[in-house]
C-alpha cells in the first residue's frame, strides 16, 4: 500500500518534494553504489511500513547493498525473492521502488531488456532470465555454438530449439555451460542438416 503524503506533487527539478508520478514517496539520493543514502521530505530515520519510496541509484550496485533514510541506521536491501542484492540489481539512471518489511528494505526492479548480435534478453526482478534468438544457420557437419548474450548464474537452465523447415527435423544440443551451448539439427535418417533454427532459454541471472 502506498501512503498518501500531503505536499507538492513531484517536480523533476526538485525531486525531494512529495510524491512521484506513480504515487511513491520520492527521495533525494546520495551515497555510493553499495551504500545508498536517501533524504525524504518527511524526515523519518526509520522507514515507515506501508510506504513505497522511489529513488534513482547513483550507480549500478556491485555487491550486497545497504540503504539509510535521513541519516539513520543502515538497512540491508533485499530482492523481491528475499536475498541480498546481486550485482547490477540497482541500475544507474533507472527509478527504483522499495519498501520496509519491518526488518529489511525490499527493492523492486523494473524489467530490463537488451540485445546483441546473437539474441535478445529479458531480466526480471525475481531472477528469471529469458533469452532468445532466431534463424541461426548451420554449416555442413559443424554445429552452431550459441554464446548467450547474458551468462546464467547456474547450469540446468531450459533450452528450447525450433528448426525452421517444413520437413521433419530434430535439433539436439550439447556442450552446455552457463554462457553457451552447441546445436545440431538432424533428419529422420540421422544425417546432419543445415536447417536454420530458433532458440529460447530460461534460467536465473541471480
Amino acid at each position: 500500500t502506498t501512503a498518501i503524503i500531503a505536499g507538492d506533487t513531484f517536480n523533476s527539478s526538485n525531486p525531494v518534494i512529495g510524491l512521484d508520478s506513480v504515487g511513491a514517496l520520492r527521495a533525494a539520493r546520495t551515497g555510493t553504489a553499495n551504500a545508498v543514502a536517501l533524504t525524504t521530505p518527511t524526515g523519518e530515520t526509520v522507514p515507515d511500513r506501508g510506504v513505497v519510496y522511489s529513488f534513482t541509484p547513483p550507480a549500478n550496485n556491485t555487491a550486497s547493498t545497504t540503504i539509510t533514510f535521513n541519516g539513520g541506521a543502515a538497512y540491508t536491501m533485499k530482492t523481491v525473492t528475499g536475498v541480498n542484492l546481486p550485482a547490477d540489481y540497482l541500475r544507474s539512471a533507472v527509478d527504483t521502488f522499495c519498501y520496509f518489511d519491518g526488518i529489511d528494505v525490499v527493492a523492486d526492479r523494473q524489467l530490463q531488456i537488451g540485445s546483441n548480435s546473437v539474441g535478445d534478453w529479458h531480466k526480471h526482478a525475481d531472477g528469471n532470465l529469458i533469452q532468445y534468438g532466431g534463424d541461426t544457420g548451420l554449416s555442413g557437419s559443424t554445429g552452431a555454438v550459441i554464446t548467450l548474450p547474458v551468462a546464467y548464474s547456474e547450469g540446468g537452465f531450459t533450452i528450447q530449439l525450433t528448426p525452421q523447415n517444413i520437413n521433419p527435423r530434430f535439433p539436439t544440443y550439447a556442450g552446455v555451460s552457463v554462457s553457451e551451448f552447441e546445436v545440431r539439427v538432424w533428419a529422420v535418417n540421422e544425417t546432419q542438416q543445415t536447417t536454420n533454427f530458433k532458440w529460447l532459454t530460461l534460467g536465473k541471472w541471480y
Side-chain angles (χ1 to χ4, degrees):
T1 302
T2 301
I4 302 300
I5 307 295
D8 297 324
T9 57
F10 175 67
N11 183 330
S12 61
S13 65
N14 189 359
V16 75
I17 297 177
L19 303 180
D20 69 9
S21 59
V22 297
L25 182 59
R26 185 69 177 178
R29 172 269 308 151
T30 55
T32 63
N34 299 333
V36 177
L38 298 186
T39 301
T40 71
T42 42
E44 67 278 20
T45 56
V46 176
D48 293 321
R49 298 194 67 175
V51 174
V52 176
Y53 299 87
S54 72
F55 68 97
T56 304
N60 288 22
N61 69 304
T62 60
S64 179
T65 303
T66 61
I67 188 169
T68 62
F69 294 80
N70 301 299
Y75 295 89
T76 301
M77 297 192 78
K78 299 289 187 178
T79 70
V80 295
T81 61
V83 301
N84 290 348
L85 300 193
D88 296 325
Y89 190 90
L90 301 182
R91 289 176 286 156
S92 174
V94 178
D95 282 350
T96 295
F97 301 92
C98 64
Y99 65 90
F100 183 51
D101 67 2
I103 300 174
D104 302 301
V105 173
V106 179
D108 203 349
R109 186 181 197 275
Q110 296 187 50
L111 175 65
Q112 184 179 7
I113 299 175
S115 65
N116 65 11
S117 60
V118 178
D120 297 79
W121 52 270
H122 294 190
K123 274 186 177 181
H124 295 261
D126 62 2
N128 283 325
L129 171 59
I130 300 170
Q131 304 188 74
Y132 53 92
D135 294 328
T136 302
L138 295 166
S139 177
S141 61
T142 304
V145 175
I146 302 298
T147 301
L148 294 165
V150 179
Y152 285 100
S153 62
E154 58 189 14
F157 54 89
T158 299
I159 301 174
Q160 178 179 312
L161 305 171
T162 306
Q164 303 299 291
N165 193 294
I166 61 173
N167 298 313
R169 294 292 184 264
F170 305 94
T172 61
Y173 58 85
V176 179
S177 71
V178 295
S179 59
E180 67 179 26
F181 58 94
E182 181 181 355
V183 178
R184 296 174 187 264
V185 177
W186 308 86
V188 292
N189 63 0
E190 299 184 1
T191 59
Q192 193 165 325
Q193 305 295 299
T194 58
T195 302
N196 285 10
F197 64 91
K198 296 181 183 294
W199 60 271
L200 181 147
T201 59
L202 172 62
K204 294 291 187 179
W205 68 272
Y206 77 81

